[in-house]
Each structure stands twice: as C-alpha cells, then as structure tokens.
C-alpha cells in the first residue's frame, strides 16, 4: 500500500507542469492548496476488472497550480488568494470563492463594528448572509 504522503501521477503532473513553466510547487504546498479548496481534487477513473484506478488533474488545475506558484506568498491569507485568483479569471472552485467572499465581508463588518461606523444602523447585510 502506498504511503499517504506518496504523490499520485496526476499530482506529479501538476508539479512538473508548474516547474516547466518556471513555478516551484512542493508536494506540501499542493496538499495545502487542495485542503484549502484552491485546487480541485484529481479526477479518478476506475479501470475495471480489478485493475484499480487512474487519476488525472481536474480541468483547469494545471493553470491554477501555476498561478498559485507565481502568486502565493509566505504568510498570505488563502481567502485573499482565492479572491485574487478569481479576479484574474482563474478556475477557482466555487466553494473557495464563496468562503473567501464571506470571510472578506465578515472582516469588513468586524472592522466597521470595532470602529463604531455601524452604530445604530443594524446589520446592513443581514438579509444577504446565509448559513
């Protein structure tokens, strides 16, 4: 059984693609980006007749990984990165974009509340917020 840290051929393909285009991606960075919803999971295909499975990068994943390799900075916020990638037209998974917008609005609301800018007007986005 392969190690949980072993890379799939599809992940190796993503890392090699970035390297071929001047980007540096480590297995750890790829795992972090995927865990934070910035890169789609690989598409798995069953080979049938006991031959196991094969995977390939999701559509747009190569371009997204290359964009992340070029734009991710140490200490950067994943939500900010998701919004920047979305603004640049990158194939950011919808769930990551939604979470990033929600986090940005929450940060702005918190800052406004702390500064007293919202005193007496209630929550102007109450009808917009959904769980």
């Amino acid at each position: 059984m392969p190690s949980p840290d072993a890379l799939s051929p599809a992940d190796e393909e993503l890392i090699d693609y970035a390297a071929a285009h001047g980007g540096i991606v480590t297995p750890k960075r790829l795992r972090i980006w995927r865990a934070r919803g910035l890169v789609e999971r690989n598409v798995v295909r069953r080979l049938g007749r006991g031959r196991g499975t094969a995977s390939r990068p999701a559509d747009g994943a190569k371009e997204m990984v290359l964009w992340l390799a070029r734009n991710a900075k140490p200490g950067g916020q994943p939500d900010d990165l998701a919004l920047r990638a979305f603004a640049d037209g990158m194939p950011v998974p919808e769930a990551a974009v939604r979470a990033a917008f929600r986090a940005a609005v929450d940060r702005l609301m918190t800052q406004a509340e702390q500064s007293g800018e919202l005193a007496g007007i209630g929550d102007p986005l109450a009808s917009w917020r959904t769980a």
Side-chain angles (χ1 to χ4, degrees), residues 104-125 129:
V105 168
D106 288 345
R107 270 195 316 265
L108 289 172
M109 293 299 294
T110 300
Q111 290 170 356
E113 289 168 356
Q114 289 173 349
S115 69
E117 292 175 19
L118 296 179
I121 66 169
D123 184 354
L125 299 176
R129 293 175 190 263

Side-chain angles (χ1 to χ4, degrees), residues 44-55:
V44 177
R45 179 174 54 99
R46 298 189 191 322
L47 300 175
R49 298 187 177 198
R51 294 183 296 169
T53 60
S55 63

Side-chain angles (χ1 to χ4, degrees), residues 23-91:
I24 298 172
V25 177
T26 64
K28 181 179 179 180
R29 284 184 102 186
L30 182 58
R31 281 192 296 274
I32 290 169
W33 293 336
R34 191 167 278 139
R36 293 190 174 154
L38 295 170
V39 177
E40 294 276 356
R41 296 202 176 279
N42 294 326
V43 177
V44 177
R45 179 174 54 99
R46 298 189 191 322
L47 300 175
R49 298 187 177 198
R51 294 183 296 169
T53 60
S55 63
R56 65 169 177 79
D59 293 339
K62 288 180 180 179
E63 292 77 17
M64 186 65 192
V65 167
L66 180 58
W67 188 93
L68 288 165
R70 291 177 175 164
N71 292 278
K73 305 291 185 236
Q77 294 294 320
D79 290 334
D80 295 341
L81 200 55
L83 291 177
R84 285 183 44 223
F86 179 73
D88 283 353
M90 298 307 301

